[in-house]
Amino acid sequence: MTEHPHPSESVPAAQQPAFQYGRAQLFHADALAWLREQPANSVHGVVTDPPYGLVEYTPAQQRKLRAGRGGVWRIPPSYDGRPRSPLPRFTTLTEDDLAYIAHFFRNFGKAVLPVLAPGAHVIVAANPLVSYLVSAALSDAGLERRGEIVRLVTTMRGGDRPKNAHDEFPDVSVMARSMWEPWVVCRKPVDGTVAANLRKWKTGGLRRISADQPFGDVIKSAPTRALERKIARHHPSLKPQDFMRQVVRAVLPLGEGVVLDPFAGSGSTLAAANVVGYDSIGVEIDETYVDVARTAIPQLTAC
C-alpha cells in the first residue's frame, strides 16, 4: 500500500499568524488541525488549490521536486528554450492513492463545514482525473455540490504519443491534450431562503461581475505569467492572478466577510483577496512555502 502523509502529526495548529500583509494573515499549521480550533460560522468563502493527488506533496516527493529529480513529478523538457513547470503524474496514482484522496477530502469537508457560515461557497481547484473524487467526498461531508468553474487554459499536459513508440504510432495520443481545468464548487446549506441567508450571513450566492453580467462558470485563462512564477519561486501549481482575482471576488456575494485558503502554498489566493479588498486567511503546512509566501504575497498583490 502506498504510504501517505499524516500532516496533523507533524505540525501543530498555529495560534498566531506567521505572516501578515494588508488584509491577509498566513498561519503555519496543518489545515485540518487548524480548522478544528476555529469558531463556528467564522469563514464566508473558501478558494483553494489543494494538493491534487496528495502524494506529490509528501516530504519525500517535495525533496525530489526541489532537487529537479522527478519522482511522481514530471519535469518537462524546455520549450523554445524556456523551462516548463513540473507536472504531477496523476496517471500513476494507485487504487490506494485514489481512496486516500477521497478519504482526505471527506475529512477536509467535515472539518471546514462547522467553520463556514451558512451559504458559504467552497471553490476547489482540481484535475479532470481526480475532480470526481473531490466532489463526491465534499458532498459526503455535507456540502452541496453547486457545479464547476471551468478554467479554459491549454497546457502541455497530455497529447503525447505512446512512450518509446512514437514512430510506431505517429497518429496516436495516449490521452487528449488538456485544454481546461475544473474547479469544484460546493456550498454549505443556506439558513432558510437565499435572500434571508444573505441578510443574516452575507453569504449564499456569488458576486456578479456587474449589474448586467452574472459571474459565469467558464473563464478564459492564460498560463501563469513568468513574472508571477518567478515571484513565487516557481511554485509547481501557481495559478495566475488574473484568474484568481475573478474567482476570489465572486466568492463573497456582498463583498463582505473572510476568504480562507486552507492550502495556501505561495499565497496567491491571499494576494488576490488583497487586490479585491477582502479579508483573508491562509493556512500552509510546508515551512518552505510559508517562507515563499512572505515575499510572494506583497509582490503578487502589487503586480
Side-chain angles (χ1 to χ4, degrees):
M1 179 174 177
T2 304
E3 292 186 6
H4 295 284
H6 298 281
S8 59
E9 298 176 1
S10 56
V11 178
Q15 300 298 319
Q16 299 294 327
F19 174 73
Q20 294 180 251
Y21 180 78
R23 298 173 68 172
Q25 295 183 317
L26 178 65
F27 290 83
H28 178 213
D30 166 57
L32 301 191
W34 185 89
L35 283 167
R36 295 185 187 107
E37 296 185 359
Q38 302 314 301
N41 308 324
S42 59
V43 167
H44 304 85
V46 173
V47 178
T48 190
D49 182 3
Y52 293 161
L54 298 169
V55 177
E56 75 272 21
Y57 282 94
T58 59
Q61 293 297 329
Q62 284 293 288
R63 284 194 295 272
K64 292 179 181 179
L65 169 63
R66 290 162 188 161
R69 301 179 65 86
V72 75
W73 292 90
R74 179 169 70 91
I75 313 296
S78 297
Y79 183 73
D80 282 348
R82 290 178 293 183
R84 287 154 53 193
S85 299
L87 299 169
R89 305 180 221 246
F90 295 109
T91 53
T92 68
L93 297 179
T94 66
E95 289 297 321
D96 285 342
D97 294 334
L98 296 174
Y100 187 75
I101 292 172
H103 170 76
F104 178 87
F105 280 99
R106 192 177 300 110
N107 284 345
F108 165 63
K110 290 178 179 178
V112 78
L113 190 64
V115 180
L116 298 173
H121 279 78
V122 177
I123 303 177
V124 181
N127 172 280
L129 296 181
V130 299
S131 62
Y132 71 102
L133 291 171
V134 175
S135 179
L138 294 177
S139 295
D140 288 346
L143 292 163
E144 301 172 336
R145 176 171 165 79
R146 301 289 289 179
E148 291 184 353
I149 295 169
V150 173
R151 178 184 171 222
L152 288 181
V153 57
T154 300
T155 72
M156 303 303 287
R157 189 191 304 276
D160 296 327
R161 295 179 177 87
K163 186 176 181 180
N164 299 324
H166 291 202
D167 295 334
E168 185 177 359
F169 302 104
D171 297 326
V172 176
S173 292
V174 174
M175 62 184 298
R177 166 62 54 82
S178 178
M179 302 181 73
W180 70 289
E181 179 180 74
W183 286 63
V184 174
V185 180
C186 296
R187 184 180 71 176
K188 182 172 178 175
V190 296
D191 182 3
T193 66
V194 171
N197 202 94
L198 283 163
R199 296 184 192 107
K200 182 176 181 180
W201 298 104
K202 313 298 185 184
T203 55
L206 296 169
R207 192 173 181 183
R208 297 176 69 93
I209 295 172
S210 67
D212 298 325
Q213 186 177 359
F215 178 76
D217 64 1
V218 176
I219 300 176
K220 293 181 180 179
S221 176
T224 306
R225 294 184 301 159
L227 172 61
E228 294 174 28
R229 295 200 306 271
K230 182 178 180 180
I231 287 171
R233 301 186 213 169
H234 299 280
H235 185 283
S237 58
L238 183 71
K239 300 300 187 291
Q241 279 294 295
D242 180 66
F243 173 80
M244 293 301 299
R245 292 169 186 177
Q246 295 180 64
V247 175
V248 168
R249 183 185 182 277
V251 81
L252 298 185
L254 301 183
E256 301 177 38
V258 176
V259 177
L260 171 68
D261 185 347
F263 309 102
S266 56
S268 59
T269 298
L270 278 62
N274 268 338
V275 171
V276 300
Y278 291 170
D279 293 329
S280 64
I281 297 173
V283 184
E284 174 55 45
I285 193 171
D286 190 318
E287 188 172 6
T288 297
Y289 290 138
V290 172
D291 288 340
V292 171
R294 290 178 193 275
T295 57
I297 291 173
Q299 293 181 62
L300 290 172
T301 299
C303 76

